[in-house]
Amino acid sequence: MANKFISIQEYDAMMAYIKPKLQALWIHENEERKKRGNELINEFQFGFPIIDIAHYKINNSRNFYLIFNSSFLKIISSSIIKAIDNFPDKFGTGDANDVIDALYNVSGYHGDREAYIGYLEQNACCYIVYRENEKFDDILRLDIFRLILPCKDDSKKYEFIGGLLHALKHFSINGKNLSTGNDIHNIFDVYHVVYLIGMAFGTRDRKKNESNSCQTLSDAIMHIVFYKEEISSVFFLVSYYKKKSVKNVS
Protein backbone atom coordinates (compact mmCIF):
# COMPACT_ATOMS: atom_id res chain seq x y z
CA MET A 1 0.00 0.00 0.00
CA ALA A 2 1.41 3.39 -0.99
CA ASN A 3 1.32 6.54 1.07
CA LYS A 4 1.95 9.41 -1.32
CA PHE A 5 3.28 11.67 1.40
CA ILE A 6 5.65 11.09 4.29
CA SER A 7 6.16 13.14 7.44
CA ILE A 8 8.77 15.89 7.67
CA GLN A 9 10.55 13.94 10.40
CA GLU A 10 10.66 10.80 8.25
CA TYR A 11 11.85 12.83 5.26
CA ASP A 12 14.64 14.55 7.23
CA ALA A 13 15.85 11.24 8.67
CA MET A 14 15.95 9.61 5.25
CA MET A 15 17.78 12.53 3.61
CA ALA A 16 20.34 12.48 6.45
CA TYR A 17 20.83 8.74 5.86
CA ILE A 18 21.27 8.81 2.10
CA LYS A 19 23.33 12.01 1.72
CA PRO A 20 26.73 10.64 2.86
CA LYS A 21 26.21 7.52 0.76
CA LEU A 22 25.43 9.60 -2.33
CA GLN A 23 28.44 11.82 -1.64
CA ALA A 24 30.65 8.72 -1.52
CA LEU A 25 29.03 7.48 -4.73
CA TRP A 26 29.70 10.81 -6.48
CA ILE A 27 33.39 10.64 -5.59
CA HIS A 28 33.63 7.02 -6.73
CA GLU A 29 31.77 7.67 -10.00
CA ASN A 30 34.19 10.46 -10.87
CA GLU A 31 37.19 8.31 -10.02
CA GLU A 32 35.93 5.67 -12.44
CA ARG A 33 35.19 8.29 -15.11
CA LYS A 34 38.68 9.70 -14.71
CA LYS A 35 40.17 6.23 -15.29
CA ARG A 36 38.13 5.87 -18.51
CA GLY A 37 38.96 9.38 -19.67
CA ASN A 38 35.32 10.47 -19.47
CA GLU A 39 33.98 13.86 -18.50
CA LEU A 40 33.57 14.22 -14.74
CA ILE A 41 30.18 14.75 -13.11
CA ASN A 42 30.20 18.33 -11.85
CA GLU A 43 26.79 18.23 -10.18
CA PHE A 44 25.15 15.53 -8.10
CA GLN A 45 21.71 15.61 -6.53
CA PHE A 46 21.47 14.99 -2.79
CA GLY A 47 18.08 16.50 -1.98
CA PHE A 48 14.70 15.54 -3.43
CA PRO A 49 11.25 17.14 -3.16
CA ILE A 50 9.14 15.42 -0.54
CA ILE A 51 6.23 15.36 -2.99
CA ASP A 52 8.28 13.13 -5.34
CA ILE A 53 8.76 10.39 -2.74
CA ALA A 54 6.37 7.44 -2.57
CA HIS A 55 6.23 5.23 0.53
CA TYR A 56 5.21 1.57 0.33
CA LYS A 57 4.46 -0.49 3.41
CA ILE A 58 5.24 -4.20 3.02
CA ASN A 59 4.34 -5.23 6.57
CA ASN A 60 4.37 -3.74 10.06
CA SER A 61 8.16 -3.61 10.22
CA ARG A 62 9.35 -3.36 6.60
CA ASN A 63 8.89 -0.46 4.17
CA PHE A 64 10.48 0.98 1.08
CA TYR A 65 10.54 4.37 -0.61
CA LEU A 66 10.80 5.44 -4.23
CA ILE A 67 12.76 8.70 -4.40
CA PHE A 68 12.47 10.30 -7.84
CA ASN A 69 14.33 13.12 -9.45
CA SER A 70 12.33 15.22 -11.88
CA SER A 71 14.06 13.97 -15.05
CA PHE A 72 13.43 10.32 -14.26
CA LEU A 73 9.86 10.95 -13.15
CA LYS A 74 9.03 12.82 -16.37
CA ILE A 75 10.41 10.01 -18.52
CA ILE A 76 8.47 7.23 -16.80
CA SER A 77 5.30 9.31 -16.42
CA SER A 78 4.96 10.61 -19.96
CA SER A 79 8.04 10.70 -22.21
CA ILE A 80 8.32 6.98 -23.02
CA ILE A 81 4.64 6.67 -23.93
CA LYS A 82 4.74 9.91 -25.91
CA ALA A 83 7.81 8.68 -27.79
CA ILE A 84 6.13 5.34 -28.60
CA ASP A 85 2.99 7.12 -29.83
CA ASN A 86 4.96 9.48 -32.06
CA PHE A 87 7.76 7.17 -33.18
CA PRO A 88 6.53 3.56 -32.87
CA ASP A 89 9.11 2.30 -35.38
CA LYS A 90 11.91 3.36 -33.02
CA PHE A 91 11.01 0.73 -30.43
CA GLY A 92 11.71 -2.98 -30.55
CA THR A 93 14.50 -2.56 -33.12
CA GLY A 94 17.32 -3.88 -30.96
CA ASP A 95 19.11 -0.54 -31.15
CA ALA A 96 19.33 1.87 -28.22
CA ASN A 97 20.06 4.72 -30.64
CA ASP A 98 16.53 4.43 -32.00
CA VAL A 99 14.99 4.72 -28.54
CA ILE A 100 17.21 7.69 -27.74
CA ASP A 101 16.18 9.36 -31.01
CA ALA A 102 12.52 9.01 -30.09
CA LEU A 103 12.99 10.25 -26.53
CA TYR A 104 15.11 13.18 -27.65
CA ASN A 105 12.58 14.23 -30.28
CA VAL A 106 9.77 14.47 -27.72
CA SER A 107 11.89 15.81 -24.85
CA GLY A 108 12.04 19.51 -25.68
CA TYR A 109 15.64 19.38 -24.46
CA HIS A 110 17.60 22.57 -25.16
CA GLY A 111 20.78 21.06 -26.52
CA ASP A 112 21.97 18.56 -29.10
CA ARG A 113 21.42 14.82 -28.99
CA GLU A 114 24.81 13.99 -27.47
CA ALA A 115 24.27 16.51 -24.69
CA TYR A 116 20.88 14.92 -24.05
CA ILE A 117 22.46 11.47 -23.70
CA GLY A 118 25.00 12.86 -21.24
CA TYR A 119 22.25 14.58 -19.30
CA LEU A 120 20.24 11.37 -18.96
CA GLU A 121 23.27 9.28 -18.05
CA GLN A 122 24.36 11.67 -15.31
CA ASN A 123 21.03 12.88 -13.95
CA ALA A 124 17.99 10.71 -14.62
CA CYS A 125 17.58 8.22 -11.80
CA CYS A 126 15.58 7.23 -8.78
CA TYR A 127 16.57 5.65 -5.49
CA ILE A 128 14.82 2.77 -3.78
CA VAL A 129 15.45 2.89 -0.05
CA TYR A 130 14.43 0.17 2.39
CA ARG A 131 13.63 0.62 6.06
CA GLU A 132 13.16 -2.16 8.59
CA ASN A 133 12.17 -1.72 12.23
CA GLU A 134 12.48 2.07 11.86
CA LYS A 135 16.07 1.76 10.57
CA PHE A 136 17.01 2.74 7.02
CA ASP A 137 18.95 0.09 5.17
CA ASP A 138 19.69 -0.90 1.57
CA ILE A 139 19.66 1.61 -1.29
CA LEU A 140 19.20 0.71 -4.95
CA ARG A 141 19.97 3.37 -7.56
CA LEU A 142 17.86 2.89 -10.67
CA ASP A 143 19.28 4.89 -13.57
CA ILE A 144 17.49 5.42 -16.85
CA PHE A 145 20.57 3.63 -18.18
CA ARG A 146 24.16 3.23 -16.99
CA LEU A 147 25.88 3.17 -20.38
CA ILE A 148 25.18 2.82 -24.09
CA LEU A 149 27.61 0.44 -25.78
CA PRO A 150 27.83 -1.47 -29.09
CA CYS A 151 25.90 -4.74 -29.10
CA LYS A 152 28.11 -7.79 -28.74
CA ASP A 153 26.41 -9.63 -31.61
CA ASP A 154 25.97 -6.63 -33.94
CA SER A 155 28.47 -3.78 -33.69
CA LYS A 156 26.26 -1.57 -35.88
CA LYS A 157 23.65 -1.46 -33.12
CA TYR A 158 23.87 -0.22 -29.55
CA GLU A 159 22.39 -1.45 -26.29
CA PHE A 160 21.51 0.00 -22.91
CA ILE A 161 23.72 -1.33 -20.15
CA GLY A 162 21.93 -1.49 -16.81
CA GLY A 163 19.14 0.74 -15.62
CA LEU A 164 15.47 1.00 -16.47
CA LEU A 165 15.70 1.15 -20.27
CA HIS A 166 17.66 -2.10 -20.21
CA ALA A 167 14.94 -3.72 -18.09
CA LEU A 168 12.11 -2.27 -20.20
CA LYS A 169 13.20 -4.25 -23.26
CA HIS A 170 11.47 -7.16 -21.52
CA PHE A 171 8.15 -5.29 -21.10
CA SER A 172 5.35 -3.89 -23.22
CA ILE A 173 2.12 -1.92 -23.01
CA ASN A 174 -0.73 -3.03 -25.29
CA GLY A 175 1.71 -5.21 -27.20
CA LYS A 176 4.18 -2.37 -27.84
CA ASN A 177 7.69 -2.93 -26.49
CA LEU A 178 8.92 -0.19 -24.16
CA SER A 179 12.57 -0.17 -25.24
CA THR A 180 14.88 -2.03 -27.62
CA GLY A 181 13.48 -5.55 -27.26
CA ASN A 182 10.59 -7.43 -28.79
CA ASP A 183 9.38 -9.30 -25.69
CA ILE A 184 5.66 -9.01 -25.03
CA HIS A 185 5.00 -8.85 -21.30
CA ASN A 186 2.21 -6.34 -20.93
CA ILE A 187 2.02 -4.05 -17.91
CA PHE A 188 -0.35 -1.13 -17.40
CA ASP A 189 2.23 1.66 -17.02
CA VAL A 190 5.97 2.25 -16.75
CA TYR A 191 5.75 3.40 -13.13
CA HIS A 192 4.51 -0.06 -12.21
CA VAL A 193 7.77 -1.62 -13.45
CA VAL A 194 9.71 0.70 -11.13
CA TYR A 195 7.47 -0.38 -8.25
CA LEU A 196 7.99 -4.07 -9.13
CA ILE A 197 11.76 -3.55 -9.23
CA GLY A 198 11.53 -1.98 -5.78
CA MET A 199 9.61 -4.98 -4.48
CA ALA A 200 11.97 -7.45 -6.19
CA PHE A 201 15.03 -5.78 -4.67
CA GLY A 202 13.60 -6.52 -1.24
CA THR A 203 13.35 -10.26 -1.93
CA ARG A 204 17.10 -10.88 -1.91
CA ASP A 205 18.63 -12.95 0.87
CA ARG A 206 20.69 -10.32 2.66
CA LYS A 207 22.42 -12.87 4.91
CA LYS A 208 23.87 -14.59 1.84
CA ASN A 209 24.68 -11.22 0.22
CA GLU A 210 23.05 -12.40 -3.00
CA SER A 211 23.37 -10.43 -6.24
CA ASN A 212 20.16 -11.81 -7.73
CA SER A 213 16.75 -12.94 -6.62
CA CYS A 214 13.43 -14.22 -7.90
CA GLN A 215 10.03 -12.61 -7.40
CA THR A 216 6.69 -14.36 -7.83
CA LEU A 217 3.93 -12.33 -9.47
CA SER A 218 0.41 -13.43 -10.37
CA ASP A 219 1.40 -14.29 -13.95
CA ALA A 220 5.17 -14.76 -13.89
CA ILE A 221 8.32 -15.43 -11.94
CA MET A 222 10.64 -12.46 -12.31
CA HIS A 223 14.41 -12.45 -12.00
CA ILE A 224 16.31 -9.39 -10.74
CA VAL A 225 20.08 -8.98 -11.01
CA PHE A 226 21.99 -6.18 -9.29
CA TYR A 227 25.43 -5.35 -7.97
CA LYS A 228 26.73 -3.47 -4.95
CA GLU A 229 29.18 -0.60 -5.26
CA GLU A 230 31.27 -1.32 -2.18
CA ILE A 231 32.58 2.17 -1.41
CA SER A 232 29.15 3.80 -1.11
CA SER A 233 27.21 0.58 -0.37
CA VAL A 234 24.69 1.62 -3.05
CA PHE A 235 23.26 -1.13 -5.27
CA PHE A 236 22.68 -0.80 -9.02
CA LEU A 237 20.24 -2.65 -11.27
CA VAL A 238 21.77 -4.93 -13.90
CA SER A 239 18.54 -6.42 -15.26
CA TYR A 240 14.97 -7.37 -14.41
CA TYR A 241 13.01 -9.79 -16.57
CA LYS A 242 10.43 -12.55 -16.69
CA LYS A 243 12.06 -15.89 -15.92
CA LYS A 244 8.96 -17.88 -16.80
CA SER A 245 5.20 -17.55 -17.04
CA VAL A 246 3.06 -19.20 -14.41
CA LYS A 247 -0.60 -19.88 -13.84
CA ASN A 248 -2.62 -19.71 -10.65
CA VAL A 249 0.25 -18.61 -8.43
CA SER A 250 -0.99 -18.45 -4.84
Side-chain angles (χ1 to χ4, degrees):
M1 181 178 181
N3 298 318
K4 290 300 182 183
F5 299 101
I6 61 176
S7 70
I8 295 296
Q9 293 79 8
E10 195 174 7
Y11 171 82
D12 288 343
M14 183 162 52
M15 292 299 104
Y17 176 75
I18 69 172
K19 184 175 180 178
K21 294 182 179 294
L22 300 191
Q23 287 174 325
L25 179 61
W26 185 17
I27 293 170
H28 175 71
E29 291 274 283
N30 274 338
E31 288 175 348
E32 293 300 308
R33 284 173 170 269
K34 190 173 182 179
K35 291 177 185 177
R36 298 194 301 263
N38 293 350
E39 182 181 356
L40 300 185
I41 302 172
N42 294 320
E43 297 179 351
F44 205 91
Q45 186 172 354
F46 301 117
F48 302 86
I50 192 171
I51 197 171
D52 291 338
I53 299 175
H55 172 210
Y56 292 89
K57 185 175 181 180
I58 299 173
N59 54 45
N60 288 335
S61 62
R62 192 157 168 78
N63 306 260
F64 75 92
Y65 304 80
L66 300 180
I67 306 175
F68 296 102
N69 73 12
S70 58
S71 302
F72 188 97
L73 190 57
K74 178 182 178 182
I75 290 172
I76 68 168
S77 299
S78 61
S79 297
I80 290 176
I81 300 304
K82 186 176 180 181
I84 291 172
D85 289 343
N86 284 273
F87 304 99
D89 294 341
K90 293 289 187 179
F91 290 80
T93 67
D95 193 344
N97 277 327
D98 289 337
V99 176
I100 290 294
D101 285 344
L103 289 173
Y104 175 68
N105 286 331
V106 302
S107 68
Y109 182 77
H110 296 293
D112 63 23
R113 183 182 180 279
E114 291 307 308
Y116 179 66
I117 292 173
Y119 175 77
L120 293 184
E121 182 184 338
Q122 295 182 22
N123 295 280
C125 70
C126 81
Y127 294 94
I128 297 163
V129 181
Y130 265 78
R131 186 183 68 169
E132 188 163 5
N133 295 321
E134 303 302 319
K135 183 179 180 181
F136 292 107
D137 198 351
D138 291 335
I139 301 174
L140 174 71
R141 173 168 165 141
L142 179 58
D143 297 278
I144 282 295
F145 57 84
R146 289 293 287 164
L147 295 168
I148 298 177
L149 295 176
C151 295
K152 293 180 180 179
D153 56 351
D154 185 351
S155 61
K156 294 181 180 179
K157 292 185 176 183
Y158 285 74
E159 63 181 334
F160 295 112
I161 305 298
L164 183 64
L165 284 174
H166 176 87
L168 287 180
K169 71 180 182 179
H170 303 295
F171 291 89
S172 56
I173 292 179
N174 297 325
K176 299 177 181 178
N177 193 271
L178 297 172
S179 186
T180 58
N182 50 34
D183 291 352
I184 300 300
H185 181 190
N186 285 319
I187 44 92
F188 57 86
D189 65 17
V190 180
Y191 186 105
H192 188 60
V193 177
V194 178
Y195 164 77
L196 291 176
I197 289 171
M199 288 291 291
F201 179 58
T203 64
R204 74 185 185 91
D205 189 332
R206 295 164 60 205
K207 293 181 180 179
K208 295 181 180 179
N209 199 27
E210 291 181 334
S211 60
N212 64 88
S213 185
C214 289
Q215 172 193 42
T216 301
L217 303 179
S218 61
D219 63 343
I221 294 177
M222 307 300 295
H223 190 211
I224 184 171
V225 184
F226 42 83
Y227 72 91
K228 184 178 182 180
E229 195 290 296
E230 295 294 341
I231 294 176
S232 64
S233 296
V234 174
F235 290 82
F236 288 83
L237 180 74
V238 176
S239 190
Y240 177 69
Y241 58 92
K242 181 170 65 175
K243 190 172 184 179
K244 64 179 180 179
S245 298
V246 295
K247 294 182 179 180
N248 298 321
V249 175
S250 59

